[in-house]
Amino acid sequence: MTGSDDTESRIGAFIDHFTPEIAMRAHACRAALRARLPTAFELVYDNYQALAIGYGSSERQKDLVLSLALYPRVVRLFFYYGVTLPDPAGRLSGEGNQVRHVLLEGPETLADPAVEALIAAALAQGERPMPDGMTGASIIKSISTKQRPRRPGQA
């Protein structure tokens, strides 16, 4: 992925607002996803509820296929169209009309064959394939001025 050193340091700082355990897990999972999706655009949203890092075929939010979401106590991998994914191993959680997620204990969860199959199926379902022959870009799309605490017990 490309992105200026400043962009990378800002993303790292967003992640480092979380506890060391969550930050370490997030950095490792992000690195694994970047390796798995080298041409994807990485869109970063430092939102009120969570830090979301989405992966898609363009700079447009509608082209995102999956995302990491960091919360004070957990890291999740969200599938934007998870409700339509085949899930014979029953790994997906969630009850919304569209999105499903998997709890990430670390990058080893991403390497689990059932989770890898979900990622492959999600990519195959994407409206636009990931770009070929380029390196994806990391783009900070939004930073909410008001945010929930990033660490448990913060006021």
Side-chain angles (χ1 to χ4, degrees):
M1 301 242 163
T2 61
S4 70
D5 289 341
D6 181 57
T7 299
E8 283 303 311
S9 65
R10 289 178 69 200
I11 294 169
F14 295 155
I15 293 170
D16 291 341
H17 281 120
F18 292 84
T19 63
E21 176 191 348
I22 293 297
M24 186 173 68
R25 187 179 313 164
H27 283 297
C29 289
R30 178 178 178 231
L33 283 171
R34 290 174 72 174
R36 171 70 173 78
L37 305 168
T39 65
F41 285 82
E42 182 182 60
L43 308 182
V44 179
Y45 300 86
D46 197 11
N47 294 326
Y48 173 75
Q49 193 82 323
L51 173 63
I53 304 171
Y55 298 87
S57 58
S58 80
E59 294 180 34
R60 300 179 315 178
Q61 186 176 8
K62 75 177 224 157
D63 290 327
L64 293 176
V65 177
L66 43 94
S67 68
L68 284 177
L70 285 65
Y71 298 92
R73 291 185 172 87
V74 298
V75 178
R76 293 186 173 122
L77 178 66
F78 279 90
F79 295 87
Y80 283 89
Y81 303 101
V83 72
T84 62
L85 293 176
D87 184 23
R91 293 299 305 266
L92 293 173
S93 298
E95 298 179 7
N97 292 332
Q98 179 175 314
V99 178
R100 295 289 184 270
H101 69 271
V102 172
L103 184 67
L104 294 177
E105 297 296 332
E108 65 279 358
T109 307
L110 295 168
D112 179 286
V115 175
E116 176 54 38
L118 289 167
I119 293 170
L123 293 170
Q125 281 184 352
E127 227 175 88
R128 297 174 50 178
M130 294 296 165
D132 283 332
M134 62 171 275
T135 302
S138 299
I139 303 165
I140 297 170
K141 296 293 274 188
S142 70
I143 303 169
S144 177
T145 56
K146 187 174 180 184
Q147 297 179 346
R148 285 190 144 176
R150 299 307 197 207
R151 293 176 181 231
Q154 276 185 328

